[in-house]
Amino acid sequence: MIQLEELRAHPLFAELSEALLQWLREQLTEVSFAAGEVLAGEGEKRADFHIVLQGEVAATKLSRGQHIPTARYIAPSFFGAVSLLSGAPAPSTLSAVTDGRLALLPERAFRELLVGSEAFCQLIFHSSFDRLANLEATLRNREKLAALGTLAAGLAHELNNPAAALVRTSDYAVAALARLRAADVDLRNSAIPVEALKILEGLGNRREIANVVSGIDALKQNQAVDALCEWLVAQGVAKPWLQAPCLIGSGILQEELGPLAVVLTKEQFSAAINWLASTLELDALMDDIRVGSLRISEIIRAMKSYSRMDQAPLQEVDIHDGIEDTLIIMQHRLKQGITVQRDYDRSLPQLTVYGSELNQVWTNLIDNAIDATSGRGDIIVRTYREMDEAVVEVTDNGTGIADDVMPHLFEPFFTTKPPGQGMGLSLEISYQTVVNRHRGALLVSSRPGRTTFQVRLPLVVKAGQT
């Protein structure tokens, strides 16, 4: 049996009377533990208050497949009060760091001691409040870092595609430029007549696919390439299969090349075709480089705007810009099977808000909508004005939210996702941002096939400082 002197030396019981100490000793059960032993699992119902007499215990919470350290209890210490007071499952897993000893106090006796000792009661409630505050702060930071990591991974993927394409296309462009230089030398040495050269230069200035081949299917385009190859062979052009696809892709057919074949010798016509194909190929490659560069620039601009990293936290913004930036940043998730419909009221005035925090709200709501549709469905983002408020709605056609879940949606740590896939903070953070920071409202309505989260922001926003 645990000695009275050991209980008296524990800070938790320092102010208990001798009678209460004697009663307490009779209620306690002593257990030993070994390093590495799991003492209690996350999500379990606990029936005892745990007092650490010797050794050390670590608390961890499962988040996105990783066990995140949240607290350490080194003797003399205690844990388990929050679960007993709230009746909720344990918020963390407890594992022994070293060998040691525990004293277990049954829930009934724990509640009697709360009533019987004011000092014990105050100490328990103060420590429980501090621990919950620290746990929430730790997990909030972890959730933000995890969200940032997810966004970074998505951005890396989105940037990698155009960047890799730029590298490949640049290599092709270098080779195409070398071919064009050689073709240009052959063309100048062939002494082509001025009138024929003007026709050739006109064809080389093509920047878009001509209406002759625009919109036709791949089979018909391949047939056109084959037909042009046969005709070029007849005109004495070497390796026409290298030039024909580029010519057809720019809408240049036999009908436009025929007049050149009539006035030029076979050597001149061959030099002309080589120069024309090389010119069109290089133009097409440069256009691909421009498209890839614009895509990278768009992603970087969206990320910079999304984070508002070079602006004051409180600023005038067009909420549509923030929503669009969010959709660009989340493109890696949306393109798997999500269709986004936009219904914007562009007449809404700019709002003075915390831009980056509000962007996190759009991220959370859209992310939840994607999860609700299992990554394959429709999302409608709508904005409109109602009286003196700007309203943003995110609607999905997922399975809906169960009636018993609705009252708990904005509670911290409440989640319907499997353990380790969510900490139940995204909607709570969104609620705090909209309601407390911006003096707005965050509402939800749901039925199977249609769930809508509605953000209402005052048009004259007096953002909070909390």
Side-chain angles (χ1 to χ4, degrees):
M1 180 175 287
I2 301 171
Q3 299 300 310
L4 285 175
E5 290 75 14
E6 189 171 21
L7 291 179
R8 194 178 293 113
H10 200 290
L12 190 58
F13 310 121
E15 297 189 28
L16 293 186
S17 65
E18 288 299 315
L20 272 177
L21 280 174
Q22 183 65 44
W23 173 86
L24 175 63
R25 186 175 67 162
E26 295 172 356
Q27 310 302 315
L28 292 173
T29 302
E30 182 179 352
V31 296
S32 298
F33 57 81
E37 182 180 347
V38 176
L39 306 178
E42 180 180 342
E44 294 178 356
K45 284 282 189 177
R46 295 179 187 167
D48 298 298
F49 178 64
H50 293 64
I51 302 155
V52 185
L53 299 175
Q54 290 180 350
E56 181 179 348
V57 176
T60 59
K61 186 169 182 64
L62 188 63
S63 172
R64 302 176 189 266
Q66 294 184 333
H67 288 275
I68 309 303
T70 57
R72 298 179 80 86
Y73 305 110
I74 302 172
S77 185
F78 60 89
F79 57 85
V82 173
S83 296
L84 294 180
L85 291 171
S86 65
S92 56
T93 295
L94 294 157
S95 304
V97 179
T98 66
D99 295 346
R101 295 163 50 236
L102 283 175
L104 305 182
L105 182 63
E107 181 178 0
R108 173 193 53 77
F110 172 75
R111 294 187 181 277
E112 288 183 21
L113 191 56
L114 285 176
V115 175
S117 172
E118 182 178 352
F120 176 81
C121 182
Q122 288 181 345
L123 199 156
I124 289 295
F125 276 98
H126 278 304
S127 64
S128 297
F129 177 81
D130 290 342
R131 289 177 181 180
L132 278 176
N134 290 335
L135 175 62
E136 183 174 354
T138 299
L139 293 181
R140 278 178 181 272
N141 290 334
R142 172 66 188 180
E143 183 77 359
K144 290 178 180 179
L145 288 174
L148 182 60
T150 301
L151 287 177
L155 281 173
H157 178 76
E158 287 298 303
L159 286 170
N160 181 68
N161 288 337
L166 277 177
V167 173
R168 291 193 302 270
T169 306
S170 297
D171 290 340
Y172 295 151
V174 170
L177 180 59
R179 288 194 294 272
L180 177 59
R181 285 173 175 166
D184 187 61
V185 172
D186 292 342
L187 185 66
R188 285 187 282 108
N189 291 338
S190 66
I192 289 181
V194 174
E195 291 303 319
L197 192 59
K198 288 181 179 180
I199 296 174
L200 191 62
E201 288 176 345
L203 294 174
N205 286 330
R206 290 282 178 89
R207 291 295 182 270
E208 298 178 357
I209 297 177
N211 57 8
V212 178
V213 294
S214 176
I216 67 175
D217 60 37
L219 177 60
K220 291 182 178 179
Q221 192 160 345
N222 287 336
Q223 291 173 344
V225 170
D226 292 341
L228 183 60
C229 272
E230 292 180 5
W231 183 78
L232 289 175
V233 168
Q235 307 308 313
V237 177
K239 299 180 180 179
W241 57 86
L242 297 177
Q243 294 94 345
C246 188
L247 297 172
I248 292 297
S250 297
I252 298 175
L253 303 179
Q254 174 184 336
E255 288 76 5
E256 292 182 276
L257 297 174
L260 286 175
V262 171
V263 299
L264 299 178
T265 65
K266 288 185 179 295
E267 291 75 12
Q268 289 174 330
F269 185 72
S270 181
I273 291 299
N274 285 333
W275 179 89
L276 180 57
S278 297
T279 298
L280 294 173
E281 180 187 14
L282 186 59
D283 281 346
L285 290 171
M286 294 306 296
D287 191 57
D288 288 343
I289 290 174
R290 182 185 65 83
V291 171
S293 300
L294 287 175
R295 177 58 181 162
I296 292 175
S297 178
E298 178 190 31
I299 295 172
I300 293 174
R301 180 210 60 77
M303 188 60 202
K304 184 177 180 181
S305 177
Y306 177 91
S307 63
R308 311 270 174 183
M309 58 188 178
D310 62 347
Q311 303 177 35
L314 194 62
Q315 61 214 244
E316 285 192 358
V317 303
D318 183 335
I319 58 174
H320 302 102
D321 293 341
I323 294 170
E324 285 301 309
D325 290 337
T326 301
L327 291 171
I328 291 174
I329 297 301
M330 299 188 70
Q331 186 62 32
H332 63 289
R333 293 208 65 198
L334 294 169
K335 67 183 181 183
Q336 301 303 319
I338 296 292
T339 300
V340 179
Q341 302 178 38
R342 298 162 172 83
D343 183 8
Y344 294 159
D345 178 1
R346 290 288 187 175
S347 68
L348 284 174
Q350 291 192 333
L351 302 179
T352 303
V353 296
Y354 295 95
S356 61
E357 295 182 25
L358 211 52
N359 285 345
Q360 186 62 53
V361 173
W362 312 141
T363 300
N364 292 339
L365 297 185
I366 293 171
D367 192 55
N368 281 347
I370 295 171
D371 288 339
T373 61
S374 299
R376 296 188 177 276
D378 298 323
I379 295 176
I380 303 173
V381 184
R382 181 187 179 207
T383 67
Y384 59 93
R385 178 172 184 164
E386 190 167 278
M387 302 296 287
D388 58 350
E389 292 181 317
V391 183
V392 179
E393 292 181 346
V394 178
T395 301
D396 67 73
N397 64 344
T399 56
I401 302 171
D403 291 340
D404 60 333
V405 171
M406 291 286 282
H408 306 288
L409 277 180
F410 303 121
E411 294 178 3
F413 309 120
F414 178 84
T415 179
T416 57
K417 297 178 181 178
Q421 292 188 15
M423 289 185 286
L425 285 174
S426 64
L427 287 179
E428 193 267 343
I429 291 173
S430 299
Y431 184 88
Q432 296 294 335
T433 299
V434 173
V435 177
N436 293 338
R437 291 284 272 176
H438 294 90
R439 304 296 185 258
L442 179 55
L443 310 173
V444 60
S445 62
S446 183
R447 67 174 188 269
R450 186 176 181 86
T451 297
T452 299
F453 281 87
Q454 185 183 85
V455 176
R456 307 182 74 91
L457 298 170
L459 289 176
V460 181
V461 175
K462 296 180 180 178
Q465 300 299 321
T466 60

